[in-house]
């Protein structure tokens, strides 16, 4: 992609400090909900990686303030891809699945953004075939205006408008994932 055609992140939608503050709150809430239990954080590659890293540390920070209690965290990852053609709605495919360890565990899916809900719906259905104890969902961003499949979400960082979003793990053609904030893309 040449520099001339590459769209630029236009405006900051959620600043770095806002993101980090909200992630601290989510970490404290998740810690309180799972205290003294084992929890598998299941990251959805690749968009959730920065959120996953900060959220897992926020859960640990909450634990530091409660030294008699703890949440034992384990990391697992899945990767999905969705594709479109002219005759069918987009289909989702699993290209990397979690380990056998998910059986009889509490699983918290960590997502970057829920848009139509198709990816999450597909992932939840797949996970239930692995006999987990519980499956909950934490997404950094929720775009409810585009929802096609109703999916339960337990923890939401921010609701966002119907616009294409980049940064903090989210890409445009594999670019901008390393922005420390969430931005909108310039269309021209
Ligand atoms: P869904 O299946 O809910 O429609 O979409 C899930 C995936 O689409 C997300 O995990 C993300 O990879 C991608 N996606 C949806 N909306 C956006 C967006 O505004 N920006 C970017 N970069 N990716 C998005």
């Amino acid at each position: 992609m040449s520099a001339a055609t590459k769209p630029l992140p236009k405006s900051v939608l959620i600043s770095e400090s806002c993101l980090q503050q909200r992630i601290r709150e989510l970490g404290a809430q998740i810690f309180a909900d799972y205290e003294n239990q084992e929890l598998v954080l299941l990251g959805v590659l690749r968009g959730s990686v920065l959120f996953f890293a900060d959220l897992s540390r926020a859960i640990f920070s909450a634990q530091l303030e409660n030294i008699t209690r703890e949440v034992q965290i384990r990391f697992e990852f899945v990767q999905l891809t969705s594709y479109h053609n002219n005759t069918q709605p987009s289909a989702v495919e699993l290209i990397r699945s979690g380990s056998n360890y998910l059986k009889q565990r509490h699983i918290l899916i960590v997502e970057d953004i829920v848009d139509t809900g198709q990816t999450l719906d597909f992932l939840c259905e797949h996970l239930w075939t692995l006999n987990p104890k519980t499956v909950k969902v934490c997404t950094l961003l929720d775009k409810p205006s585009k929802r096609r499949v109703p999916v339960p979400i337990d923890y939401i960082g921010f609701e966002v408008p119907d616009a294409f979003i980049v940064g903090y793990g989210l890409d445009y053609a594999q670019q901008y994932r390393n922005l420390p904030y969430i931005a909108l893309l310039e269309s021209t």
Side-chain angles (χ1 to χ4, degrees):
M1 193 186 309
S2 75
T5 57
K6 182 177 168 181
L8 295 170
K10 190 168 75 178
S11 51
V12 176
L13 187 64
I14 307 170
S15 69
E16 186 174 359
S17 60
C18 259
L19 280 174
Q20 295 304 330
Q21 169 60 31
R22 182 71 188 122
I23 292 167
R24 276 193 292 276
E25 291 168 8
L26 288 171
Q29 200 183 338
I30 291 165
F31 176 80
D33 291 350
Y34 287 94
E35 70 172 57
N36 295 332
Q37 301 193 64
E38 248 184 45
L39 176 64
V40 178
L41 288 184
L42 185 70
V44 182
L45 296 171
R46 303 175 182 130
S48 76
V49 286
L50 299 191
F51 178 45
F52 185 99
D54 286 340
L55 182 68
S56 62
R57 284 179 289 196
I59 297 170
F60 182 74
S61 295
Q63 183 167 317
L64 288 178
E65 290 163 20
N66 297 274
I67 49 168
T68 57
R69 293 172 286 164
E70 68 166 340
V71 177
Q72 289 172 38
I73 298 283
R74 183 181 169 115
F75 287 5
E76 296 288 345
F77 296 93
V78 289
Q79 189 167 11
L80 300 124
T81 185
S82 54
Y83 52 91
H84 307 256
N85 66 33
N86 292 333
T87 56
Q88 288 181 316
S90 63
V92 183
E93 198 183 352
L94 197 62
I95 53 178
R96 178 201 157 101
S97 64
S99 77
N100 293 337
Y101 188 82
L102 301 179
K103 196 173 175 186
Q104 285 305 307
R105 307 287 167 178
H106 295 295
I107 301 173
L108 181 61
I109 299 171
V110 180
E111 259 284 24
D112 53 354
I113 185 166
V114 181
D115 189 4
T116 64
Q118 284 174 312
T119 305
L120 195 52
D121 185 57
F122 176 91
L123 178 58
C124 288
E125 272 200 24
H126 166 71
L127 290 175
W128 281 115
T129 67
L130 305 176
N131 292 320
K133 217 179 254 178
T134 61
V135 177
K136 287 190 176 182
V137 176
C138 177
T139 186
L140 178 65
L141 305 175
D142 182 22
K143 210 191 270 183
S145 55
K146 296 287 287 296
R147 195 75 88 251
R148 273 195 259 158
V149 185
V151 277
I153 306 178
D154 303 279
Y155 307 94
I156 296 174
F158 301 88
E159 196 171 301
V160 290
D162 181 11
F164 197 79
I165 282 156
V166 294
Y168 198 66
L170 289 110
D171 75 309
Y172 170 79
Q174 300 305 326
Q175 299 293 299
Y176 310 122
R177 290 195 197 273
N178 59 335
L179 301 183
Y181 50 84
I182 296 287
L184 299 173
L185 260 202
E186 213 170 75
S187 52
T188 53

